[in-house]
Amino acid sequence: MQTDFLVIGSGIAGLTFALKVAEDCPDKTITVLTKTQSDETNTKYAQGGIAGVMDFDKDSFNKHIEDTLIAGDGLCNREVVEIVVREGVERIQEIIEWGAQFDKDKDGDYALGREGGHSEFRILHHKDVTGKEMERALLEAIARKSNIKLLSHCFVLDIITQHHLGYLITKSTPDIECYGVYVLNLKSNKIETILASFTLLASGGNGQVYRTTTNPAIATGDGVAMVYRAKGRIENMEFIQFHPTALYEPGVRGHSFLITEAVRGDGGILRNHNGEAFMERYDERKDLAPRDIVARAIDNEMKINGTEHVYLDCTHFSKEKFTEHFPNIYEKCLSIGIDITKHMIPVAPAAHYSCGGIKTDEWARTSIKNLYAAGECASTGLHGANRLASNSLLEAMVFAHRAYRDVVAKTKDKPVHIIESSGENTINGVEVPNWKSEGTNAPKEMILITQSVKEMKLLMSDYVGIVRNNERLHRAMKRLDLLYEETEVLYEKTAVSPQLCELRNMISVAYLIVKCADFRHESRGLHFNTDYPAKDKMIQNIVL
Ligand code: FAD
Ligand code: SIN
């Protein structure tokens, strides 16, 4: 199959890009691939909202820029922060035009929320299901475009580069080029080759590398692992954001329900098992300190008291006030016997967001030619060492737009269907071979995969979590080495499946997190190593 533009991922980044290209280039084809159902994305689960300066009487671009820089703890790229904050407002207007609805107050103005690290009220939201509303609007707009093909249940295995043509590729090979992808079509169970002039990776996050995460099952870091295999540049993987308040449900591990930070923005108070509002002891901003500080404080309280969670106290809210903004959270808590007006909500930190990822420039270009990345899989320079709440939906839209601007500028002066196709698997004169699966057999025992996934999640949570030290990191690396070797052997002889590929990808991502953490001999933002508790001004971005 050949397409002008290929998009991997149907979350906010992928869909925004596809829509923009489709609108601007009605004569070109855009293919969007997604590995399960179209709307099963991190985007769908976003609760708190999207940050943007809307009330220029009280707020300003400068204030949003400063808040982002403070959260990023010295590692944000100021130029990128300015781009996202300033251009973000236009992107928000666009998604409103595409049909997304955000809550308004009784005067008809947007009802702006506040979250940790924000000095002003600037979070647009749709109740406590903002992501679901944005995903809905985008998918509906996509369905109206006849030149976009959205293919669900298509698992991308690898991006195709010169490596697949038989050349030896290393990190220092100049002009590594992306020709498209190999895809396991889960409906036909066949591996297909899709060639494209430009490919956008919008494959989301990697929370599933940890035992407890707010991310759904799709978040296995596939895009980052594929680019790493293709010898593209990856950076700052040590900065994993743990959300302070995932709902604690004994026995629930894989995908924890989030209690949005907006609840604390509206007055929710964190308490330990003695009922103490402990955040006062950790930071003057108390419950609304940036996430790294709140998550570490909770982790410390849990360790001191020997408990598996702390509490979020909302008992002072009226039912009416709470359900107006947080109906989904109210219902979820009630479904497990917690009436938030009477009982405190048990919460614990969970892996939530990857600040690092595929290194991109200000036009979303990766180090691989014709390959772009946007959204959570990308490392644009916006977040630095810690992401400010509700900045990621904004970043995804801004860089999807920038990727669109760049690819369209490159294709505008070229004829329609720029792929010069002389044969079925030929792109611009390059012959691309089909996927080779000779010598592989159906997996005999799934336990070989599922047990390795469990081991990996456990070691990442226990050794590479909120608080780290050198010994834990070294142990993690040794155990990952073994898992890697075993998985590669399995991969060589087994027919590919999403489970096997996700395991392989997660092991790569876990390795990258540990490697970057090991290189950072300091504590900064989300990376806290008790062997190096201070900051070191000399250490900037870690690029692998
Ligand atoms: P996603 O929305 O995750 O989409 C990834 C896509 O890639 C999916 O379609 C998936 O199927 C596809 N994909 C992945 N691998 C493959 C493969 N191998 N083959 C084919 N397809 C593949 N951010 C905010 O700014 N505000 C919030 O309020 C907020 N709340 C959040 C709440 C929760 C519970 C979570 C988990 C995150 C939240 N975030 C929030 C973060 C934000 O939602 C994500 O960072 C953002 O939605 C990521 O969008 P994306 O387009 O990059 O990826
Ligand atoms: C939340 O609603 O607390 C999550 C916001 C975010 O991750 O940006």
Side-chain angles (χ1 to χ4, degrees), residues 137-176:
L138 287 165
L139 282 172
E140 285 181 16
I142 290 273
R144 293 192 288 269
K145 292 279 166 225
S146 57
N147 55 337
I148 300 180
K149 229 190 249 175
L150 174 50
L151 305 176
S152 65
H153 300 94
C154 282
F155 189 102
V156 176
L157 301 171
D158 249 334
I159 52 170
I160 305 171
T161 66
Q162 291 95 326
H163 164 78
H164 300 93
L165 312 180
Y167 294 99
L168 178 69
I169 303 293
T170 68
K171 285 246 176 259
S172 46
T173 304
D175 291 335
I176 305 174

Side-chain angles (χ1 to χ4, degrees), residues 443-454:
K444 284 202 191 93
E445 294 184 312
M446 283 307 278
I447 185 83
L448 295 179
I449 297 172
T450 52
Q451 183 59 24
S452 294
V453 171
K454 271 191 215 155

Side-chain angles (χ1 to χ4, degrees), residues 49 67 89 110 180 184 196 223 225 283 304 348 376 383 399 424 460 486:
D67 291 346
V89 176
Y110 284 111
L184 173 60
D283 194 283
I304 290 172
E376 193 166 338
H383 308 306
F399 279 95
E424 208 181 311
M460 288 303 287
E486 290 171 356

Side-chain angles (χ1 to χ4, degrees), residues 7-15 32-51 115 123-125 130-131 134-135 150-151 153-158 182-184 201-205 213-216 218-223 226 241 243 255-261 291 351-354 374-378 383 387-396 501-502 505:
V7 181
I8 301 163
S10 58
I12 188 163
L15 297 184
V32 182
L33 306 174
T34 179
K35 65 178 168 179
T36 61
Q37 301 95 293
S38 305
D39 70 343
E40 189 54 6
T41 58
N42 272 9
T43 302
K44 182 173 90 173
Y45 295 93
Q47 290 190 358
I50 180 164
E115 292 172 357
I123 317 292
L124 286 131
H125 55 86
T130 310
M134 293 174 90
E135 184 75 16
L150 174 50
L151 305 176
H153 300 94
C154 282
F155 189 102
V156 176
L157 301 171
D158 249 334
Y182 291 121
V183 182
L184 173 60
L201 267 171
S203 49
T213 175
T214 62
N215 292 190
I218 55 113
T220 51
D222 299 354
M226 283 186 244
Q241 185 170 71
H243 197 290
H255 178 193
S256 299
F257 184 84
L258 183 74
I259 308 291
T260 173
E261 198 154 308
R291 261 178 213 176
H352 181 61
Y353 185 85
S354 174
E376 193 166 338
C377 67
H383 308 306
R387 175 181 66 104
L388 185 66
S390 289
N391 261 359
S392 51
L393 294 170
L394 191 73
E395 180 199 38
C501 292
E502 285 181 346
N505 290 337

Side-chain angles (χ1 to χ4, degrees), residues 35 69 73 118 130 161 166 172 248 296 343 355 372 416 449 463 518 536:
K35 65 178 168 179
L69 293 171
D73 207 5
H118 286 274
T130 310
T161 66
S172 46
Y248 173 78
R296 264 200 307 278
H343 316 117
C355 293
Y372 292 70
V416 178
I449 297 172
Y463 294 148
D518 192 35
D536 181 340

Side-chain angles (χ1 to χ4, degrees), residues 87-280:
E87 293 182 11
V89 176
E90 247 176 87
R91 304 288 80 80
I92 292 174
Q93 291 301 344
E94 274 165 4
I95 198 164
I96 292 172
E97 278 158 31
W98 288 332
Q101 293 185 9
F102 296 111
D103 294 349
K104 293 191 171 163
D105 61 21
K106 56 183 181 333
D107 300 324
D109 297 323
Y110 284 111
L112 302 173
R114 190 172 161 204
E115 292 172 357
H118 286 274
S119 57
E120 293 294 343
F121 286 77
R122 63 168 76 98
I123 317 292
L124 286 131
H125 55 86
H126 181 98
K127 308 282 178 204
D128 52 357
V129 285
T130 310
K132 196 171 171 193
E133 169 63 10
M134 293 174 90
E135 184 75 16
R136 175 201 65 74
L138 287 165
L139 282 172
E140 285 181 16
I142 290 273
R144 293 192 288 269
K145 292 279 166 225
S146 57
N147 55 337
I148 300 180
K149 229 190 249 175
L150 174 50
L151 305 176
S152 65
H153 300 94
C154 282
F155 189 102
V156 176
L157 301 171
D158 249 334
I159 52 170
I160 305 171
T161 66
Q162 291 95 326
H163 164 78
H164 300 93
L165 312 180
Y167 294 99
L168 178 69
I169 303 293
T170 68
K171 285 246 176 259
S172 46
T173 304
D175 291 335
I176 305 174
E177 192 170 347
C178 174
Y179 304 117
V181 297
Y182 291 121
V183 182
L184 173 60
N185 183 329
L186 297 168
K187 289 177 185 157
S188 64
N189 207 27
K190 293 217 164 74
I191 297 172
E192 292 160 11
T193 307
I194 303 186
L195 302 180
S197 301
F198 296 99
T199 301
L200 174 80
L201 267 171
S203 49
N206 57 34
Q208 286 294 327
V209 165
Y210 287 89
R211 188 177 35 176
T212 310
T213 175
T214 62
N215 292 190
I218 55 113
T220 51
D222 299 354
V224 170
M226 283 186 244
V227 170
Y228 184 65
R229 279 198 292 275
K231 312 287 185 224
R233 295 284 164 199
I234 308 290
E235 71 176 2
N236 289 354
M237 291 295 289
E238 70 277 33
F239 297 123
I240 298 294
Q241 185 170 71
F242 288 79
H243 197 290
T245 57
L247 178 63
Y248 173 78
E249 290 182 87
V252 174
R253 288 294 189 192
H255 178 193
S256 299
F257 184 84
L258 183 74
I259 308 291
T260 173
E261 198 154 308
V263 172
R264 276 176 285 134
D266 277 10
I269 300 166
L270 286 163
R271 295 188 188 279
N272 61 21
H273 275 61
N274 306 319
E276 183 203 359
F278 58 85
M279 275 313 298
E280 311 186 345

